[in-house]
Amino acid sequence: MRLLIGGDVVPTATSAEAFRQGDTQALFQDVLPVFASADRVLINLECALTESEAAIPKFGPNLKGPLESAKTLNHAGVTDCSLCNNHTFDFGIEGMRDTIRAVTEANMNVTGVGENEKDSRRPLIIPVGDKKLAVIAVCEHEYTYALENQMGATPFDPFETLTDIHDAKEKYDYVIVIYHGAKEHCRYPSPRVMKACRAMVHLGADAVLCQHSHIIGCMEKYENGVILYGQGNFHFLKYLDSESWNQGLIAQFDFDEENGGFDFSLIPVLSTDTGIRLATQEEADAIMTAMESRNQSLLNGSWIDGWREFCDSMKNVYETTVYNCADDPENPRLKEHFAHYLDCEAHTDVYRELFKTWHARGINS
């Protein structure tokens, strides 16, 4: 059984009309035969599919695409959609319900979302011969996550998520975790993300795929699993004009139904003016060579330098947020901005790096 997992998919101003018209050839080009070779294709749909104009108040863009996008994805070969990310709630409960309805009516499975926090934690179960695979999708705390009495995406919790992984491994033969989190545009994990992903593997995950960063990061084999720290975008055209934004990886799992286990491989893809395409051999070699260099940094410990350098580059942004809130504590927007940064794990990871205590810096030793 072959399973393909793609990263972030969003119909943008460039691609929305093709999604509306169902032009799969323009949108997916020579990726279509790759889809056709698989038994299941799962992507992260990182937007609402809705006609609603009721955007929620937030920092950052409110993303949505045409309702017809769901049928187009299915016609291209997509069978499963994770809605577990920080944008499927961008148009509130109405937008999320519209999205779920559009995806299910297009004969695709939905995962990573529920009527409340408890309901959202149900894994996607995929048959693998006479065995079963559980896919657990979780996201960091950034606008979309489900609450005790409100629908939303499955929130990552350092206790409940790890318990869910352990329980899934007890019940099913394979477990894959899709973690929608870590810092955007950073090629290296934070110390917290690395510890969390390694703990997921230790407790039973066969693979952990980190999405959300919009950039290809690095990968390691840990114990009996594989961790991909940054899958890059899959289909998110011309939102930002950068080489890193336009590169992504399809994760391919080929399961051995007779003997158990699976082969794991990566397929590089690139954005074009109208869609995405497979990387040429030369392009793929360059992408994977650069990634392998970063992989080595995980082995020799130098990855932490890349993480710290990234945090230093963001210092002004985070300091300004703190100072603005302190200067005008009654300004509701400034308070909300600071609260948002405290709510989301990716932002607090940067805060912890930039604002270390004396003890953390070793001054008390």
Side-chain angles (χ1 to χ4, degrees):
M1 197 279 280
R2 173 172 291 175
L3 167 67
L4 302 178
I5 299 180
D8 305 332
V9 174
V10 178
T12 64
T14 300
S15 61
E17 188 58 29
F19 272 104
R20 184 178 286 109
Q21 296 298 327
D23 192 349
T24 58
Q25 186 59 51
L27 290 168
F28 294 99
Q29 301 173 32
D30 57 356
V31 177
L32 290 172
V34 177
F35 280 178
S37 74
D39 299 282
R40 301 286 284 262
V41 177
L42 189 156
I43 57 96
N44 170 54
L45 182 61
E46 195 170 12
C47 67
L49 300 182
T50 182
E51 299 300 326
S52 172
E53 298 295 333
I56 65 169
K58 61 179 291 190
F59 295 91
N62 295 79
L63 301 178
K64 69 175 182 177
L67 289 164
E68 296 87 348
S69 303
K71 290 184 179 179
T72 300
L73 286 168
N74 183 246
H75 290 162
V78 176
T79 58
D80 305 87
C81 286
S82 171
L83 304 184
C84 195
N85 55 67
N86 56 308
H87 284 289
T88 47
F89 202 78
D90 278 3
F91 290 81
I93 291 176
E94 177 187 1
M96 181 167 276
R97 291 203 186 281
D98 287 345
T99 307
I100 295 171
R101 187 180 307 112
V103 171
T104 55
E105 288 180 354
N107 298 314
M108 292 184 290
N109 300 299
V110 169
T111 191
V113 67
E115 289 298 316
N116 50 55
E117 185 271 336
K118 183 177 181 180
D119 182 55
S120 74
R121 290 165 58 192
R122 291 177 292 108
L124 172 68
I125 307 303
I126 297 176
V128 181
D130 61 355
K131 297 179 173 60
K132 291 184 178 180
L133 159 69
V135 178
I136 297 175
V138 293
C139 65
E140 291 184 351
H141 288 69
E142 191 171 3
Y143 299 114
T144 300
Y145 59 94
L147 302 174
E148 183 179 357
N149 296 304
Q150 178 177 293
M151 76 177 307
T154 315
F156 169 74
D157 184 277
F159 307 106
E160 291 178 339
T161 299
L162 294 177
T163 298
D164 289 344
I165 292 168
H166 174 270
D167 292 349
K169 192 63 172 182
E170 291 282 303
K171 188 174 182 180
Y172 304 107
D173 302 280
Y174 306 100
V175 177
I176 295 174
V177 178
I178 300 175
Y179 180 85
H180 196 88
K183 192 67 188 81
E184 291 176 301
H185 313 297
C186 184
R187 294 194 186 274
Y188 301 93
S190 69
R192 178 194 62 83
V193 167
M194 177 180 281
K195 288 181 181 179
C197 291
R198 288 179 171 180
M200 293 180 205
V201 171
H202 183 69
L203 288 173
D206 296 286
V208 180
L209 306 181
C210 297
Q211 301 178 347
H212 175 69
S213 64
H214 306 297
I215 196 169
I216 296 174
C218 42
M219 182 175 70
E220 67 173 335
K221 292 182 179 179
Y222 181 75
E223 294 185 356
N224 295 319
V226 61
I227 305 171
L228 178 59
Y229 299 107
Q231 194 173 352
N233 287 323
F234 186 50
H235 206 298
F236 205 153
L237 302 188
K238 292 190 173 182
Y239 191 78
L240 291 181
D241 184 19
S242 70
E243 182 181 56
S244 59
W245 183 272
N246 295 321
Q247 298 177 346
L249 300 169
I250 302 174
Q252 179 170 306
F253 296 83
D254 287 301
F255 293 90
D256 186 335
E257 296 184 19
E258 289 189 11
N259 302 312
F262 61 86
D263 291 327
F264 177 77
S265 56
L266 296 170
I267 304 171
V269 295
L270 299 174
S271 296
T272 71
D273 288 340
T274 59
I276 61 171
R277 64 172 175 82
L278 298 177
T280 65
Q281 188 61 57
E282 182 179 1
E283 292 166 337
D285 288 345
I287 290 170
M288 299 308 294
T289 298
M291 184 177 177
E292 179 56 32
S293 176
R294 295 189 294 274
N295 297 348
Q296 291 301 312
S297 75
L298 298 176
L299 297 175
N300 63 33
S302 62
W303 65 273
I304 193 66
D305 297 328
W307 163 249
R308 288 170 176 165
E309 182 179 345
F310 174 84
C311 291
D312 286 341
S313 74
M314 301 292 292
K315 186 174 183 179
N316 183 63
V317 173
Y318 286 86
E319 285 186 340
T320 299
T321 303
V322 175
Y323 297 154
N324 285 346
C325 185
D327 286 343
D328 191 1
E330 299 307 313
N331 186 314
R333 183 164 177 81
L334 296 178
K335 288 173 66 176
E336 186 64 28
H337 198 185
F338 183 57
H340 162 58
Y341 274 16
L342 289 181
D343 197 26
C344 177
E345 294 90 335
H347 293 302
T348 55
D349 284 349
V350 179
Y351 269 129
R352 289 189 177 97
E353 188 62 49
L354 293 176
F355 300 95
K356 286 185 178 295
T357 64
W358 288 332
H359 188 75
R361 298 199 305 272
I363 293 177
N364 289 340
S365 60

